[in-house]
Amino acid sequence: MGIQVNHLVKSFGATRVVNDVTFTVNPGELVALLGPSGGGKSTILRIIAGLESSDQGEVWLDNERVDHLHTRDRRIGFVFQHYALFRHMTVADNIAFGLDVRGVPKEKQRKRVGDLLDLMGLSGLDGRLPAQLSGGQRQRVALARALAPEPRLLLLDEPFGAVDAKVREELRRWLRNLHDEFHTTSIFVTHDQEEAFAVSDRVLILNKGRVEQDAAPLDVLDHPATEFVARFVGEVNVLDAVDKDGAVFAGPLSVPVTATGAGKLHVVVRAYDLKFWHAEDGQGIATARRVVPLGDRVRVDAEIDGGVPIFAQFPRRSSLLRGVEPGARLGIEVTHARAWPAP
Ligand code: ADP
Ligand code: MG
């Protein structure tokens, strides 16, 4: 049955940092816990691992309640950003560590370590010490070490946070390949949405100790459950808007959302869900301010008449960009938006 977390609650002093969190991870699934720093992600992982106790709630692993079990009896593997390798042990000994403490016969250990070295692209490095490895290699060893004893659950807490962007992307691919090979039920914590979407089957968005949404990556993008999720995921404009007789406007800009009759609204528009184009003299509803190259895309920062900033992204060679330069008048069409009543 994988893992089931029921109504978890945890406070530090007067602050409730985990607030009635319930979720399931099915066997073989890789789920990401995504949210801003301080949202309670690490605390949830530590409770599952048995490194922290909860005030209320239950943790079930494979139909067994594990709250009362010691960490070492839960059979959970960890990879944390700063969960360092044993410095005085070779790569092979690090990977074999969890097998050794369980008394697995040496011959079986060697076979398992060899398989993992191959799988992780670490062949030939088995005799090295951690200090003789790159950051990316070290995290691959950490992954192999966590997986060697065949844990029931793998917990990864921002495991790639300390390596640079290029290596991080490589490690994501290693992790995903490894997951597709072993199907170890896994929870991956990150504050980086791109990372969450790149590796996981499902995403739990966590904010202030609460699960705001539990859905597939595309659903989180296209059907955000709350204004928080809409704002947190993707690059968005948030505009104050009003509902005038069933049509929604942010200043002079018409917004295609079903009117709610709520009066004042917050409209959330993703950077790729609107079009700018160069308007004829005397027309348009905005002025372009900055055109920022982002590699294969271009971001255009503009100001709607009345002073409200808005931005959009375009493929670099988009025909819409013709004549769009600082000072140019712009027409704007919003193609997709979501609205929430303004508090
Ligand atoms: P995240 O991993 O999402 O960044 P954490 O679970 O680490 O969030 O922290 C959630 C909140 O709990 C933060 O405000 C943090 O300061 C607080 N916190 C975490 N651990 C402790 C602790 N041992 N004692 C007191 N406060 C803590
Ligand atoms: Mg954390």
Side-chain angles (χ1 to χ4, degrees):
M1 71 159 241
I3 174 168
Q4 168 85 44
V5 171
N6 286 332
H7 302 293
L8 220 54
V9 173
K10 175 73 183 178
S11 298
F12 290 113
T15 319
R16 197 170 260 215
V17 301
V18 178
N19 199 348
D20 197 17
V21 165
T22 295
F23 64 88
T24 304
V25 182
N26 298 313
E29 229 185 348
L30 197 173
V31 166
L33 267 187
L34 171 67
S37 267
K41 304 181 298 295
S42 294
T43 304
I44 292 170
L45 238 55
R46 291 173 57 79
I47 291 171
I48 293 171
L51 300 169
E52 188 79 72
S53 62
S54 63
D55 300 336
Q56 288 172 49
E58 301 170 356
V59 179
W60 293 75
L61 207 54
D62 295 336
N63 291 317
E64 178 191 13
R65 190 160 175 198
V66 298
D67 304 71
H68 62 285
L69 289 183
H70 190 276
T71 298
R72 69 170 171 263
D73 298 324
R74 296 192 187 193
R75 290 189 42 222
I76 293 176
F78 317 92
V79 182
F80 296 155
Q81 183 176 326
H82 298 294
Y83 194 65
L85 298 172
F86 303 115
R87 284 162 46 198
H88 58 287
M89 283 189 196
T90 63
V91 166
D93 289 345
N94 263 283
I95 296 174
F97 181 78
L99 302 170
D100 210 41
V101 297
R102 279 172 183 77
V104 172
K106 289 283 180 202
E107 193 47 43
K108 222 173 154 196
Q109 285 188 32
R110 262 194 295 279
K111 168 92 175 65
R112 179 89 178 141
V113 170
D115 288 350
L116 281 161
L117 285 167
D118 279 350
L119 207 63
M120 296 303 278
L122 295 165
S123 301
L125 301 181
D126 44 320
R128 291 222 191 150
L129 292 171
Q132 298 167 316
L133 301 174
S134 70
Q137 288 168 336
R138 243 176 266 159
Q139 283 312 74
R140 273 185 271 156
V141 175
L143 264 175
R145 181 177 64 178
L147 285 167
E150 301 182 48
R152 296 198 279 187
L153 177 69
L154 179 63
L155 301 176
L156 305 124
D157 193 351
E158 315 240 6
F160 311 144
V163 294
D164 62 51
K166 189 129 191 277
V167 177
R168 195 152 63 224
E169 205 165 297
E170 227 176 80
L171 285 167
R172 286 176 199 164
R173 269 198 296 275
W174 282 109
L175 173 64
R176 191 60 228 193
N177 291 345
L178 211 59
H179 184 75
D180 293 340
E181 176 85 14
F182 289 134
H183 302 286
T184 307
T185 310
S186 306
I187 304 176
F188 183 94
V189 159
T190 180
H191 64 271
D192 180 334
Q193 55 175 64
E194 210 181 294
E195 187 154 277
F197 292 174
V199 301
S200 68
D201 305 314
R202 191 152 55 87
V203 182
L204 293 177
I205 310 272
L206 201 82
N207 181 39
K208 296 189 180 143
R210 281 182 186 280
V211 177
E212 297 250 348
Q213 188 162 9
D214 175 350
L218 264 184
D219 281 333
V220 172
L221 275 173
D222 288 347
H223 306 287
T226 63
E227 183 179 343
F228 171 82
V229 175
R231 296 171 81 130
F232 182 70
V233 177
E235 297 207 54
V236 296
N237 292 282
V238 182
L239 305 170
D240 288 321
V242 285
D243 173 1
K244 288 181 193 153
D245 306 323
V248 174
F249 280 90
L253 179 64
S254 166
V255 183
V257 290
T258 312
T260 58
K264 289 191 173 172
L265 300 169
H266 283 165
V267 166
V268 180
V269 186
R270 296 201 189 286
Y272 51 79
D273 284 335
L274 71 174
K275 291 179 193 155
F276 291 176
W277 64 90
H278 182 206
E280 296 299 319
D281 285 347
Q283 296 185 27
I285 59 165
T287 303
R289 292 297 178 213
R290 261 161 65 79
V291 178
V292 184
L294 304 170
D296 58 345
R297 288 162 302 141
V298 172
R299 191 182 79 221
V300 180
D301 296 336
E303 194 179 302
I304 303 173
D305 295 346
V308 176
I310 189 165
F311 73 100
Q313 285 187 8
F314 303 89
R316 194 167 143 225
R317 311 224 185 266
S318 167
S319 58
L320 287 169
L321 284 168
R322 212 168 295 138
V324 173
E325 54 193 49
R329 293 291 291 162
L330 299 178
I332 303 180
E333 185 194 349
V334 176
T335 51
H336 192 82
R338 309 274 304 184
W340 279 270

